[in-house]
mmCIF file of all heavy atoms in Angstrom:
data_model
loop_
_atom_site.group_PDB
_atom_site.id
_atom_site.type_symbol
_atom_site.label_atom_id
_atom_site.label_comp_id
_atom_site.label_asym_id
_atom_site.label_seq_id
_atom_site.Cartn_x
_atom_site.Cartn_y
_atom_site.Cartn_z
ATOM 1 N N LEU A 231 14.307 51.593 -31.173
ATOM 2 C CA LEU A 231 13.537 52.600 -30.437
ATOM 3 C C LEU A 231 13.154 53.767 -31.346
ATOM 4 O O LEU A 231 12.001 54.208 -31.364
ATOM 5 C CB LEU A 231 14.334 53.093 -29.224
ATOM 6 C CG LEU A 231 14.645 52.033 -28.168
ATOM 7 C CD1 LEU A 231 15.574 52.602 -27.104
ATOM 8 C CD2 LEU A 231 13.374 51.492 -27.549
ATOM 9 N N ALA A 232 14.102 54.260 -32.101
ATOM 10 C CA ALA A 232 13.819 55.354 -33.045
ATOM 11 C C ALA A 232 12.868 54.886 -34.141
ATOM 12 O O ALA A 232 11.977 55.634 -34.566
ATOM 13 C CB ALA A 232 15.116 55.870 -33.657
ATOM 14 N N LYS A 233 13.052 53.665 -34.594
ATOM 15 C CA LYS A 233 12.189 53.104 -35.639
ATOM 16 C C LYS A 233 10.736 53.054 -35.165
ATOM 17 O O LYS A 233 9.819 53.450 -35.885
ATOM 18 C CB LYS A 233 12.696 51.708 -36.001
ATOM 19 C CG LYS A 233 11.858 50.952 -36.988
ATOM 20 C CD LYS A 233 11.842 51.582 -38.330
ATOM 21 C CE LYS A 233 12.997 51.134 -39.150
ATOM 22 N NZ LYS A 233 12.923 51.662 -40.510
ATOM 23 N N LEU A 234 10.530 52.617 -33.949
ATOM 24 C CA LEU A 234 9.172 52.558 -33.393
ATOM 25 C C LEU A 234 8.576 53.954 -33.213
ATOM 26 O O LEU A 234 7.411 54.191 -33.540
ATOM 27 C CB LEU A 234 9.183 51.810 -32.053
ATOM 28 C CG LEU A 234 9.407 50.308 -32.133
ATOM 29 C CD1 LEU A 234 9.721 49.745 -30.757
ATOM 30 C CD2 LEU A 234 8.202 49.612 -32.745
ATOM 31 N N ARG A 235 9.388 54.899 -32.711
ATOM 32 C CA ARG A 235 8.905 56.289 -32.550
ATOM 33 C C ARG A 235 8.484 56.872 -33.892
ATOM 34 O O ARG A 235 7.422 57.497 -34.006
ATOM 35 C CB ARG A 235 10.000 57.163 -31.935
ATOM 36 C CG ARG A 235 10.059 57.162 -30.446
ATOM 37 C CD ARG A 235 10.945 58.280 -29.918
ATOM 38 N NE ARG A 235 12.227 58.372 -30.589
ATOM 39 C CZ ARG A 235 13.355 57.797 -30.177
ATOM 40 N NH1 ARG A 235 13.343 57.069 -29.081
ATOM 41 N NH2 ARG A 235 14.477 57.952 -30.831
ATOM 42 N N ASP A 236 9.314 56.682 -34.915
ATOM 43 C CA ASP A 236 9.004 57.218 -36.247
ATOM 44 C C ASP A 236 7.724 56.606 -36.808
ATOM 45 O O ASP A 236 6.903 57.301 -37.406
ATOM 46 C CB ASP A 236 10.156 56.965 -37.222
ATOM 47 C CG ASP A 236 11.395 57.769 -36.887
ATOM 48 O OD1 ASP A 236 11.301 58.704 -36.065
ATOM 49 O OD2 ASP A 236 12.466 57.449 -37.442
ATOM 50 N N PHE A 237 7.569 55.317 -36.615
ATOM 51 C CA PHE A 237 6.383 54.651 -37.159
ATOM 52 C C PHE A 237 5.115 55.133 -36.467
ATOM 53 O O PHE A 237 4.122 55.452 -37.116
ATOM 54 C CB PHE A 237 6.510 53.128 -37.023
ATOM 55 C CG PHE A 237 5.379 52.403 -37.682
ATOM 56 C CD1 PHE A 237 5.370 52.204 -39.054
ATOM 57 C CD2 PHE A 237 4.309 51.928 -36.945
ATOM 58 C CE1 PHE A 237 4.314 51.562 -39.674
ATOM 59 C CE2 PHE A 237 3.254 51.275 -37.550
ATOM 60 C CZ PHE A 237 3.260 51.092 -38.920
ATOM 61 N N VAL A 238 5.149 55.217 -35.153
ATOM 62 C CA VAL A 238 3.970 55.653 -34.404
ATOM 63 C C VAL A 238 3.622 57.104 -34.736
ATOM 64 O O VAL A 238 2.450 57.466 -34.819
ATOM 65 C CB VAL A 238 4.192 55.462 -32.890
ATOM 66 C CG1 VAL A 238 3.106 56.136 -32.080
ATOM 67 C CG2 VAL A 238 4.269 53.978 -32.560
ATOM 68 N N ALA A 239 4.624 57.945 -34.955
ATOM 69 C CA ALA A 239 4.392 59.366 -35.228
ATOM 70 C C ALA A 239 4.080 59.650 -36.697
ATOM 71 O O ALA A 239 3.755 60.790 -37.035
ATOM 72 C CB ALA A 239 5.618 60.176 -34.813
ATOM 73 N N TYR A 240 4.149 58.655 -37.561
ATOM 74 C CA TYR A 240 3.913 58.883 -38.988
ATOM 75 C C TYR A 240 2.506 59.445 -39.179
ATOM 76 O O TYR A 240 1.517 58.843 -38.748
ATOM 77 C CB TYR A 240 4.093 57.580 -39.770
ATOM 78 C CG TYR A 240 4.143 57.782 -41.253
ATOM 79 C CD1 TYR A 240 5.245 58.362 -41.848
ATOM 80 C CD2 TYR A 240 3.072 57.420 -42.056
ATOM 81 C CE1 TYR A 240 5.299 58.562 -43.219
ATOM 82 C CE2 TYR A 240 3.118 57.611 -43.427
ATOM 83 C CZ TYR A 240 4.233 58.178 -43.994
ATOM 84 O OH TYR A 240 4.273 58.378 -45.357
ATOM 85 N N PRO A 241 2.383 60.611 -39.816
ATOM 86 C CA PRO A 241 1.102 61.318 -39.862
ATOM 87 C C PRO A 241 0.070 60.766 -40.846
ATOM 88 O O PRO A 241 -1.111 61.029 -40.694
ATOM 89 C CB PRO A 241 1.502 62.737 -40.265
ATOM 90 C CG PRO A 241 2.769 62.572 -41.031
ATOM 91 C CD PRO A 241 3.462 61.381 -40.431
ATOM 92 N N ARG A 242 0.492 59.991 -41.819
ATOM 93 C CA ARG A 242 -0.453 59.530 -42.830
ATOM 94 C C ARG A 242 -1.113 58.219 -42.411
ATOM 95 O O ARG A 242 -0.691 57.562 -41.500
ATOM 96 C CB ARG A 242 0.269 59.350 -44.159
ATOM 97 C CG ARG A 242 0.830 60.690 -44.651
ATOM 98 C CD ARG A 242 1.241 60.673 -46.073
ATOM 99 N NE ARG A 242 0.130 60.355 -46.948
ATOM 100 C CZ ARG A 242 0.285 59.831 -48.164
ATOM 101 N NH1 ARG A 242 1.484 59.577 -48.611
ATOM 102 N NH2 ARG A 242 -0.757 59.567 -48.899
ATOM 103 N N CYS A 243 -2.163 57.872 -43.126
ATOM 104 C CA CYS A 243 -2.890 56.606 -42.949
ATOM 105 C C CYS A 243 -3.658 56.520 -41.639
ATOM 106 O O CYS A 243 -3.968 55.418 -41.172
ATOM 107 C CB CYS A 243 -1.953 55.402 -43.057
ATOM 108 S SG CYS A 243 -1.137 55.234 -44.632
ATOM 109 N N ASP A 244 -3.968 57.647 -41.013
ATOM 110 C CA ASP A 244 -4.699 57.605 -39.746
ATOM 111 C C ASP A 244 -6.129 57.087 -39.906
ATOM 112 O O ASP A 244 -6.743 56.690 -38.924
ATOM 113 C CB ASP A 244 -4.725 58.988 -39.106
ATOM 114 C CG ASP A 244 -3.389 59.352 -38.484
ATOM 115 O OD1 ASP A 244 -2.579 58.428 -38.239
ATOM 116 O OD2 ASP A 244 -3.149 60.551 -38.260
ATOM 117 N N THR A 245 -6.631 57.088 -41.112
ATOM 118 C CA THR A 245 -7.999 56.611 -41.328
ATOM 119 C C THR A 245 -8.055 55.112 -41.595
ATOM 120 O O THR A 245 -9.136 54.542 -41.660
ATOM 121 C CB THR A 245 -8.648 57.352 -42.513
ATOM 122 O OG1 THR A 245 -7.854 57.115 -43.683
ATOM 123 C CG2 THR A 245 -8.759 58.832 -42.241
ATOM 124 N N VAL A 246 -6.902 54.464 -41.722
ATOM 125 C CA VAL A 246 -6.864 53.030 -42.010
ATOM 126 C C VAL A 246 -6.798 52.266 -40.685
ATOM 127 O O VAL A 246 -5.834 52.403 -39.922
ATOM 128 C CB VAL A 246 -5.658 52.670 -42.910
ATOM 129 C CG1 VAL A 246 -5.614 51.186 -43.196
ATOM 130 C CG2 VAL A 246 -5.709 53.473 -44.201
ATOM 131 N N LEU A 247 -7.824 51.487 -40.405
ATOM 132 C CA LEU A 247 -7.941 50.771 -39.147
ATOM 133 C C LEU A 247 -6.745 49.859 -38.882
ATOM 134 O O LEU A 247 -6.203 49.839 -37.772
ATOM 135 C CB LEU A 247 -9.233 49.950 -39.133
ATOM 136 C CG LEU A 247 -9.480 49.109 -37.879
ATOM 137 C CD1 LEU A 247 -9.657 50.002 -36.661
ATOM 138 C CD2 LEU A 247 -10.686 48.218 -38.073
ATOM 139 N N GLU A 248 -6.305 49.121 -39.896
ATOM 140 C CA GLU A 248 -5.189 48.186 -39.726
ATOM 141 C C GLU A 248 -3.903 48.913 -39.336
ATOM 142 O O GLU A 248 -3.112 48.414 -38.539
ATOM 143 C CB GLU A 248 -4.948 47.371 -41.000
ATOM 144 C CG GLU A 248 -6.064 46.410 -41.345
ATOM 145 C CD GLU A 248 -7.169 47.037 -42.188
ATOM 146 O OE1 GLU A 248 -7.171 48.284 -42.364
ATOM 147 O OE2 GLU A 248 -8.030 46.290 -42.662
ATOM 148 N N VAL A 249 -3.705 50.099 -39.900
ATOM 149 C CA VAL A 249 -2.511 50.888 -39.575
ATOM 150 C C VAL A 249 -2.594 51.384 -38.138
ATOM 151 O O VAL A 249 -1.605 51.335 -37.395
ATOM 152 C CB VAL A 249 -2.334 52.062 -40.558
ATOM 153 C CG1 VAL A 249 -1.187 52.967 -40.127
ATOM 154 C CG2 VAL A 249 -2.102 51.542 -41.966
ATOM 155 N N ASN A 250 -3.765 51.833 -37.723
ATOM 156 C CA ASN A 250 -3.937 52.299 -36.346
ATOM 157 C C ASN A 250 -3.699 51.170 -35.342
ATOM 158 O O ASN A 250 -3.085 51.379 -34.298
ATOM 159 C CB ASN A 250 -5.320 52.914 -36.146
ATOM 160 C CG ASN A 250 -5.421 54.282 -36.775
ATOM 161 O OD1 ASN A 250 -4.432 55.000 -36.890
ATOM 162 N ND2 ASN A 250 -6.619 54.645 -37.196
ATOM 163 N N GLU A 251 -4.173 49.971 -35.679
ATOM 164 C CA GLU A 251 -3.938 48.821 -34.795
ATOM 165 C C GLU A 251 -2.449 48.501 -34.712
ATOM 166 O O GLU A 251 -1.930 48.197 -33.639
ATOM 167 C CB GLU A 251 -4.716 47.605 -35.298
ATOM 168 C CG GLU A 251 -6.211 47.730 -35.107
ATOM 169 C CD GLU A 251 -6.988 46.603 -35.779
ATOM 170 O OE1 GLU A 251 -6.384 45.764 -36.482
ATOM 171 O OE2 GLU A 251 -8.214 46.564 -35.588
ATOM 172 N N LEU A 252 -1.778 48.583 -35.847
ATOM 173 C CA LEU A 252 -0.341 48.322 -35.880
ATOM 174 C C LEU A 252 0.427 49.388 -35.090
ATOM 175 O O LEU A 252 1.375 49.082 -34.374
ATOM 176 C CB LEU A 252 0.134 48.275 -37.329
ATOM 177 C CG LEU A 252 1.477 47.635 -37.602
ATOM 178 C CD1 LEU A 252 1.564 46.233 -37.040
ATOM 179 C CD2 LEU A 252 1.746 47.617 -39.094
ATOM 180 N N LYS A 253 -0.011 50.635 -35.202
ATOM 181 C CA LYS A 253 0.624 51.707 -34.438
ATOM 182 C C LYS A 253 0.438 51.499 -32.938
ATOM 183 O O LYS A 253 1.344 51.773 -32.148
ATOM 184 C CB LYS A 253 0.072 53.074 -34.848
ATOM 185 C CG LYS A 253 0.614 53.578 -36.161
ATOM 186 C CD LYS A 253 0.091 54.974 -36.460
ATOM 187 C CE LYS A 253 0.701 55.538 -37.713
ATOM 188 N NZ LYS A 253 0.282 56.930 -37.948
ATOM 189 N N GLU A 254 -0.703 50.997 -32.525
ATOM 190 C CA GLU A 254 -0.940 50.719 -31.101
ATOM 191 C C GLU A 254 -0.016 49.609 -30.600
ATOM 192 O O GLU A 254 0.528 49.697 -29.504
ATOM 193 C CB GLU A 254 -2.404 50.335 -30.856
ATOM 194 C CG GLU A 254 -3.324 51.520 -30.738
ATOM 195 C CD GLU A 254 -2.888 52.495 -29.655
ATOM 196 O OE1 GLU A 254 -2.621 52.081 -28.500
ATOM 197 O OE2 GLU A 254 -2.804 53.698 -29.944
ATOM 198 N N LYS A 255 0.165 48.571 -31.412
ATOM 199 C CA LYS A 255 1.094 47.498 -31.027
ATOM 200 C C LYS A 255 2.526 48.043 -30.938
ATOM 201 O O LYS A 255 3.263 47.695 -30.027
ATOM 202 C CB LYS A 255 1.046 46.356 -32.046
ATOM 203 C CG LYS A 255 -0.178 45.498 -31.946
ATOM 204 C CD LYS A 255 -0.105 44.378 -32.973
ATOM 205 C CE LYS A 255 -1.345 43.546 -32.991
ATOM 206 N NZ LYS A 255 -1.281 42.467 -33.997
ATOM 207 N N ALA A 256 2.886 48.890 -31.892
ATOM 208 C CA ALA A 256 4.230 49.477 -31.891
ATOM 209 C C ALA A 256 4.416 50.373 -30.663
ATOM 210 O O ALA A 256 5.479 50.371 -30.036
ATOM 211 C CB ALA A 256 4.465 50.267 -33.176
ATOM 212 N N ARG A 257 3.394 51.112 -30.313
ATOM 213 C CA ARG A 257 3.449 51.962 -29.117
ATOM 214 C C ARG A 257 3.603 51.106 -27.859
ATOM 215 O O ARG A 257 4.379 51.436 -26.958
ATOM 216 C CB ARG A 257 2.184 52.824 -29.028
ATOM 217 C CG ARG A 257 2.227 53.869 -27.941
ATOM 218 C CD ARG A 257 0.989 54.766 -27.942
ATOM 219 N NE ARG A 257 1.000 55.654 -29.093
ATOM 220 C CZ ARG A 257 0.114 55.623 -30.096
ATOM 221 N NH1 ARG A 257 -0.858 54.746 -30.095
ATOM 222 N NH2 ARG A 257 0.187 56.475 -31.094
ATOM 223 N N SER A 258 2.902 49.997 -27.804
ATOM 224 C CA SER A 258 3.014 49.084 -26.665
ATOM 225 C C SER A 258 4.422 48.519 -26.561
ATOM 226 O O SER A 258 4.998 48.456 -25.468
ATOM 227 C CB SER A 258 2.024 47.925 -26.797
ATOM 228 O OG SER A 258 0.716 48.379 -26.685
ATOM 229 N N LEU A 259 4.968 48.105 -27.697
ATOM 230 C CA LEU A 259 6.326 47.560 -27.697
ATOM 231 C C LEU A 259 7.324 48.614 -27.228
ATOM 232 O O LEU A 259 8.206 48.326 -26.413
ATOM 233 C CB LEU A 259 6.700 47.048 -29.088
ATOM 234 C CG LEU A 259 8.111 46.484 -29.229
ATOM 235 C CD1 LEU A 259 8.342 45.317 -28.279
ATOM 236 C CD2 LEU A 259 8.366 46.067 -30.671
ATOM 237 N N TYR A 260 7.184 49.826 -27.711
ATOM 238 C CA TYR A 260 8.077 50.911 -27.309
ATOM 239 C C TYR A 260 7.998 51.134 -25.794
ATOM 240 O O TYR A 260 9.022 51.261 -25.118
ATOM 241 C CB TYR A 260 7.715 52.184 -28.073
ATOM 242 C CG TYR A 260 8.614 53.349 -27.746
ATOM 243 C CD1 TYR A 260 9.865 53.453 -28.325
ATOM 244 C CD2 TYR A 260 8.215 54.333 -26.850
ATOM 245 C CE1 TYR A 260 10.710 54.518 -28.023
ATOM 246 C CE2 TYR A 260 9.040 55.398 -26.547
ATOM 247 C CZ TYR A 260 10.290 55.483 -27.131
ATOM 248 O OH TYR A 260 11.116 56.536 -26.832
#
Side-chain angles (χ1 to χ4, degrees):
L231 297 173
K233 176 66 86 175
L234 288 167
R235 274 193 313 266
D236 292 347
F237 185 80
V238 169
Y240 192 72
R242 298 195 60 204
C243 299
D244 285 341
T245 59
V246 180
L247 179 64
E248 293 87 350
V249 174
N250 285 331
E251 289 172 355
L252 197 54
K253 283 184 176 185
E254 278 304 310
K255 285 182 184 179
R257 188 176 289 115
S258 293
L259 179 59
Y260 182 80

